[in-house]
Amino acid sequence: MTLAASAGVLAEDAAKGDYAEVNGMRMYYEVSGSGDPIVVLHGAYMNIPTMGGIIPALAKSHTVYALEFQGHGRTEDIDRPVTYPNLASDVAAFMDAVGLEKADIFGYSMGAAAGLRLAIDYPEKVDQLITASVSYDMAGSQPAFLEMIPTMVPEMFIGSPMEDAWKEYAPNPEGFRPFVERMIALEHEPLAWGDEVKELKSPVLIIAGDADMMTLEHLVSMFRLLGGGEPGDMGKPLGASRLAILPATSHTAVIDQVDLLMGFIDPFLKGETPKGMFDQ
């Protein structure tokens, strides 16, 4: 068992699992830790255990609400498209169901896009937002990824270890094909949120690998849309949003670098910044 997998098992053992009725489905979630609430949103084809050590790390200082999206993990699939507005609506409804008026949000990959959409559509529910490996516009994706999307078919996933892992938790183990078809359709959904991202009021911590699925230029453009990228030693206060790029890191390698991630996340959630020469 890998370190990340064992950390995931420890997180699962320490957490309290339950179901919430959310938009016509039974959504599985786990609660762990204590402190201010933070909602954790996993990536595509993932579940709570595969998020690894980030959940117990966050639970040291927060009450963590980790959920499993439609068709993922122990949450049933329903006859409804998987879209980012739908996922964001699910998170908002989940927060209502468990009595969370407002919370910090941490999302990875698909979960980061859902978190970003949540901040756009339901800004009153988002305190601070952490997005790990996210694009706000498909045009910012790596060209190789854009070229791959039209080639995606269910047979790329059916019969693979990914299907075996999915069946381990799925309420309906025979429903993998329609689930995959929905997930492939998600890759074709329009994604161009620049004007809406520019209007966000919640502070955002953008995290990505330097070899992620979106270009570095796109990540910088998102940071600038959020008011970042100005010189910090020229008498003006730093912007509320932040950008962190993990070196030598691909898309799937981001989530397992827990110590490095928490080195960015902790001070962001506390509102702490490094002191410069001209700070009083």
Side-chain angles (χ1 to χ4, degrees):
M1 179 179 290
T2 66
L3 178 61
S6 63
V9 170
L10 289 173
E12 188 174 20
D13 288 345
K16 177 183 177 182
D18 203 350
Y19 287 87
E21 297 297 325
V22 173
N23 291 341
M25 63 185 160
R26 295 181 72 239
M27 174 175 280
Y28 181 78
Y29 70 98
E30 294 178 355
V31 182
S32 57
S34 62
D36 291 339
I38 186 167
V39 178
V40 173
L41 309 175
H42 62 75
Y45 301 97
M46 294 177 69
N47 50 43
I48 293 170
T50 56
M51 287 293 282
I54 193 65
I55 292 175
L58 289 168
K60 292 178 181 179
S61 57
H62 288 74
T63 301
V64 178
Y65 293 79
L67 60 80
E68 292 179 337
F69 283 119
Q70 174 187 340
H72 290 77
R74 286 144 285 199
T75 298
E76 62 188 348
D77 199 4
I78 58 175
D79 188 12
R80 183 195 70 168
V82 175
T83 67
Y84 291 118
N86 281 348
L87 295 177
S89 173
D90 292 343
V91 178
F94 166 78
M95 292 177 68
D96 289 341
V98 298
L100 283 178
E101 183 176 343
K102 193 172 190 177
D104 296 323
I105 307 293
F106 173 86
Y108 168 60
S109 192
M110 180 187 77
L116 188 59
R117 194 68 235 175
L118 179 74
I120 292 169
D121 293 343
Y122 306 89
E124 72 282 358
K125 292 189 173 295
V126 179
D127 191 358
Q128 300 174 100
L129 173 63
I130 304 160
T131 64
S133 299
V134 73
S135 299
Y136 67 87
D137 193 312
M138 282 300 290
S141 300
Q142 294 280 10
F145 177 61
L146 292 174
E147 292 172 5
M148 185 186 74
I149 290 174
T151 71
M152 296 176 72
V153 293
E155 283 67 28
M156 296 172 65
F157 303 89
I158 293 171
S160 71
M162 186 178 289
E163 180 177 9
D164 295 335
W166 182 85
K167 286 182 175 180
E168 182 180 353
Y169 292 106
N172 175 19
E174 303 306 313
F176 189 64
R177 176 179 282 274
F179 166 72
V180 169
E181 289 172 347
R182 289 188 236 281
M183 296 300 293
I184 292 175
L186 176 63
E187 303 292 355
H188 295 270
E189 284 289 311
L191 182 61
W193 302 340
D195 291 342
E196 295 166 299
V197 167
K198 191 174 182 179
E199 299 301 317
L200 286 178
K201 304 302 180 187
S202 298
V204 182
L205 169 58
I206 306 164
I207 301 174
D210 61 359
D212 217 311
M213 298 303 287
M214 64 294 302
T215 67
L216 294 172
E217 292 81 3
H218 182 70
L219 295 162
V220 171
S221 72
M222 181 176 175
F223 186 45
R224 292 194 181 281
L225 285 175
L226 293 165
E230 297 296 326
D233 291 322
M234 301 296 290
K236 293 183 178 180
L238 293 173
S241 294
R242 307 182 185 189
L243 172 64
I245 303 297
L246 280 59
T249 299
S250 68
H251 182 74
T252 56
V254 168
I255 197 62
D256 286 333
Q257 298 184 64
V258 176
D259 290 342
L260 189 55
L261 291 173
M262 292 305 298
F264 301 132
I265 292 170
D266 265 341
F268 171 70
L269 293 177
K270 293 175 181 176
E272 298 174 349
T273 58
K275 297 300 180 183
M277 179 184 295
F278 302 105
D279 295 324
Q280 298 298 321

